[in-house]
Amino acid sequence: MKALVKLGTPLVAATAAVGLLAGSASAASTTVRRDGPAGAPYDGQYQILNVGDLTFAGTGFTASCSSADLRGTLTSSGSGTLDSATATGCTSNLGAPTVSFRNLPYTDGVLAYGPTGDYDGTLTFTDPDLEIQASFGFISCVYGFDAQHTSLTFEVRNSDNPANSTGQLAGTMNGVSLGLKSGSFLCPTDVTANGTGKAMGKVAPGDATYGQKLHITA
């Protein structure tokens, strides 16, 4: 997956969702399953939707996005792709921005099972190609990795984790940030993002909807 953003914009909105997507370099000790810890391994399409608003804050900047929808494919070993992504319902004190993901599909990331604290695993992105663009009227800002921001890590919780209230496999970003790669001097910097996204698969490959609960184990 390509990088997420240190957006002072709704860009990071998509980030929360991306937080659940596993990339091509998966952890060998991780298995994605249907339903629960004893479920069959899952290979197929997934959808990630945000739960609640995604919020962003920085010096003189605040923003939120009400909707994010990311879709791609996932293997039982934790590898996958992000093929499409949208973030809408975004507002900020700089005006209503539009958000777009550049260089799709994203194919690099590591989903690793490893209970620590109140989460069940992590998802880490290191792909230097990931870019998210936010536009505020005539101002356009592109965010991604830089010398100070070389990876992104999300906390992943199974549906049975007491700290997870979504009812689904969920990924949370706490103070996640990326660097401003290009844009006007008016583009927000030093912005952090917070939010949660839930991931679901398909019960059958041909299903139009996503109703399959997912779970990660060793």
Side-chain angles (χ1 to χ4, degrees), residues 132-205:
I132 300 176
Q133 181 175 346
S135 300
F136 307 82
F138 296 106
I139 302 173
S140 181
C141 312
V142 177
Y143 298 85
F145 290 138
D146 58 18
Q148 289 73 44
H149 306 84
T150 58
S151 66
L152 285 176
T153 298
F154 298 84
E155 299 173 349
V156 177
R157 296 179 175 87
N158 284 316
S159 60
D160 58 0
N161 187 317
N164 180 2
S165 61
T166 70
Q168 303 289 344
L169 180 67
T172 298
M173 54 181 181
N174 293 308
V176 171
S177 67
L178 290 182
L180 177 64
K181 300 188 70 173
S182 64
S184 165
F185 70 94
L186 296 173
C187 290
T189 59
D190 300 319
V191 175
T192 58
N194 294 276
T196 295
K198 62 180 181 179
M200 297 158 286
K202 289 189 174 184
V203 175

Side-chain angles (χ1 to χ4, degrees), residues 4-24:
L4 285 182
V5 205
K6 166 193 233 180
L7 306 178
T9 92
L11 282 165
V12 192
T15 300
V18 177
L20 278 189
L21 180 60
S24 58

Side-chain angles (χ1 to χ4, degrees), residues 31-56:
T31 301
V32 181
R33 299 183 181 278
R34 294 176 181 267
D35 302 316
Y42 179 81
D43 294 90
Q45 296 177 301
Y46 71 85
Q47 177 184 43
I48 297 174
L49 300 174
N50 61 299
V51 178
D53 289 346
L54 303 173
T55 62
F56 319 91

Side-chain angles (χ1 to χ4, degrees), residues 72-149:
T73 59
L74 184 66
T75 71
S76 59
S77 64
S79 65
T81 65
L82 174 61
D83 301 328
S84 67
T86 60
T88 57
C90 301
T91 61
S92 79
N93 61 335
L94 298 181
T98 57
V99 177
S100 60
F101 288 76
R102 294 157 51 119
N103 307 322
L104 286 169
Y106 300 150
T107 59
D108 190 17
V110 176
L111 174 63
Y113 176 77
T116 303
D118 66 353
Y119 54 93
D120 300 298
T122 57
L123 174 63
T124 302
F125 297 98
T126 57
D127 189 333
D129 295 327
L130 184 153
E131 293 182 349
I132 300 176
Q133 181 175 346
S135 300
F136 307 82
F138 296 106
I139 302 173
S140 181
C141 312
V142 177
Y143 298 85
F145 290 138
D146 58 18
Q148 289 73 44
H149 306 84

